[in-house]
Amino acid sequence: MSGAERRLLGLLAVHFIFYGVALTLVGATVPEIIRTFGWSYIDIGAVMAAGSAGYLSGCFSGGALVRRAGPRRMLLAGLVLEGLGLGSFGSDSGLDFNMGVLLLVGLGQGWIEVATNYCLVGLENPGESRLMNLIHACFTAGACLGPVGVGGLLASGAPWRWAYEGVGLLLLGVVLVALHLPFPIAPAVEAVSPRRALGSLARDPLLLLLGVVVFLYVGAEMGISAWISEYYVETFAVSKAVGAYMVSVVWVGLLLGRLALSMGYRGRRQTPLLAGLCCLAALPLPLALQSPSPWMAGGLFLVSGLGFSAVYPVCMVLVGEHFTEEQSLAIGLVSGAGGMGALAFPFAMAAIAGQFSIAQSFWFCSATAWVMALAAGAVLVLVHRRRRRAEGQLLENSTSRWR
């Protein structure tokens, strides 16, 4: 790996730490926001959904834009939107204003997500997921640090908006650094037109299944992350600061899992890894929701986080491996499926919590994780069949030439 590529990885790692902090800020401050502005569960769900709608738009548009503008411009534009938007969130109590701000933040994050995954697929060794897991581990490190910082901020009595302003300034600092760094990844020349490529991808069952896995994974993960602080405040009557700390517990599991796989897993069999991780994510959730102890429930949420850890990076590696001809659009589509999950699930959980209870919304997340595990099993079967078919075709071709 060249020096320019190593510097690019360093930049992506630093940004993804701040990205992880940014993504968990709303979830960690939900109790404060609700009580400061007098918003209902549906209101806060609509604000979360606005950010997710922006992210969804960024992912879908990013798949086409990266072919034209290149990943460098997309990263810079996304960072500016993300930094300015976060710094403005909560400066006005209006629901529409804050929804608009998070819409722009989400748009920037969607562009960054596609550009980053595009760069990592280009830098990754064929069939491996080490770099993808490493950079996304930086994201989870930030997601762990963010709620801890918010908890400390709230415990000290400082205004909760300081967290948003501080992260916004850090992101704008990353922009200044990125402007002076060489960028070794150029946009690929893809011969097929975007319209024809989209039509081909939309009919591919493997891409559809990977999109389903990512949709359900992001939905369950973000639903739990966004609402676990309120779940603990309501279910176990803990303080709002402790509720914020619980967001970190989930992300610690993701961090440990991604670091372990990045450093310890050198295999190239990604589909069995995906199926096993999805099962590990689903198994502890119903046990956590039945636990009478906040400590035991926290431990089970952590174990579930270990399972969730590498689902997204492994799916991205599989997209890069199996869709080399329309790589940017395929990455954008599967990232967009994650955006759909991030859009739908926090709002759905808000609706369930408002109509029934916060506990019932977590049972909905648990069921989602089990469906995700089934979809991952289907990916395993389909990839195995494709490989057997490809091996059979190679054998048939070699036999024909011998004859």
Side-chain angles (χ1 to χ4, degrees), residues 99-336:
M99 288 175 65
V101 164
L102 283 192
L103 185 73
L104 293 178
V105 170
L107 178 65
Q109 290 174 338
W111 286 349
I112 293 166
E113 185 76 30
V114 173
T116 299
N117 289 333
Y118 183 84
C119 292
L120 291 173
V121 165
L123 295 172
E124 193 78 71
N125 291 326
E128 293 186 1
S129 58
R130 297 181 66 196
L131 293 179
M132 192 74 74
N133 274 314
L134 178 62
I135 297 302
H136 284 275
C138 294
F139 170 85
T140 54
C144 296
L145 293 172
V148 170
V150 170
L153 196 71
L154 298 180
S156 70
W160 57 269
R161 279 207 66 246
W162 284 10
Y164 291 84
E165 293 171 348
V167 175
L169 287 173
L170 289 172
L171 288 167
L172 294 177
V174 174
V175 174
L176 296 178
V177 174
L179 286 171
H180 295 90
L181 284 181
F183 208 90
I185 305 296
V189 178
E190 299 178 3
V192 181
S193 68
R195 183 176 299 179
R196 288 180 60 191
L198 282 172
S200 173
L201 291 170
R203 294 189 296 271
D204 193 294
L206 178 58
L207 191 77
L208 292 175
L209 276 174
L210 288 170
V212 168
V213 172
V214 170
F215 168 75
L216 297 171
Y217 154 74
V218 173
E221 177 198 73
M222 293 308 301
I224 292 170
S225 175
W227 287 100
I228 194 170
S229 61
E230 182 68 11
Y231 175 80
Y232 260 72
V233 169
E234 286 294 315
T235 303
F236 297 114
V238 300
S239 69
K240 288 178 284 186
V242 171
Y245 292 140
M246 290 310 303
V247 181
S248 292
V249 169
V250 177
W251 289 101
V252 163
L254 275 92
L255 174 62
L256 295 176
R258 285 178 177 173
L259 286 176
L261 289 169
S262 177
M263 294 184 292
Y265 185 72
R266 300 179 182 272
R268 298 191 175 187
R269 300 185 63 198
Q270 300 297 323
T271 47
L273 177 62
L274 177 65
L277 288 168
C278 289
C279 290
L280 181 60
L283 283 170
L285 287 177
L287 300 175
L289 299 178
Q290 293 177 358
S291 173
S293 165
W295 303 106
M296 185 180 296
L300 290 165
F301 279 122
L302 187 146
V303 173
S304 182
L306 287 172
F308 280 120
S309 62
V311 171
Y312 185 89
V314 169
C315 283
M316 286 300 154
V317 167
L318 288 170
V319 171
E321 179 183 353
H322 291 277
F323 301 94
T324 55
E325 293 183 2
E326 303 94 14
Q327 202 170 78
S328 63
L329 286 174
I331 290 172
L333 288 171
V334 176
S335 298

Side-chain angles (χ1 to χ4, degrees), residues 350-361:
I352 295 170
Q355 185 68 30
F356 302 101
S357 69
I358 192 74
Q360 292 299 317
S361 68

